[in-house]
Amino acid sequence: MTVAFDNSGGTAVRSGTVTFGTHVVGALGVDWGTVESTVGLPVPIGAGTRTERTWTVCVDRWRVPLGMHIETRDVSVRWE
């Protein structure tokens, strides 16, 4: 999953987290559950700059029964 971060503020971002919501989806499109994973922001992000970062999002095999698949649909950021 590649996410771009734009810091439009006047000071650098020095810490924070990114949380991914990966959904376990059944064959008929039913969302059976969400697995969250959290990683640190790629800091520092200077004032007025943009940076991109790519992460591999994994889910334990036992959480995804045969015939189901995963989709990372939600991304939230907490800037500190």
Side-chain angles (χ1 to χ4, degrees):
M1 160 119 324
T2 300
V3 181
F5 302 96
D6 291 309
N7 181 358
S8 59
T11 60
V13 174
R14 303 214 185 281
S15 64
T17 57
V18 181
T19 301
F20 299 102
T22 302
H23 297 255
V24 178
V25 181
L28 299 176
V30 175
D31 190 339
W32 289 92
T34 303
V35 179
E36 288 190 351
S37 54
T38 302
V39 295
L41 275 175
V43 292
I45 304 171
T49 65
R50 174 188 174 100
T51 187
E52 283 188 1
R53 179 76 183 262
T54 301
W55 290 275
T56 300
V57 179
C58 299
V59 175
D60 293 321
R61 182 183 306 213
W62 64 268
R63 293 182 181 264
V64 187
L66 189 62
M68 294 187 171
H69 66 278
I70 60 171
E71 297 176 7
T72 301
R73 296 179 178 173
D74 310 312
V75 178
S76 62
V77 177
R78 193 173 118 223
W79 308 84
E80 297 176 3

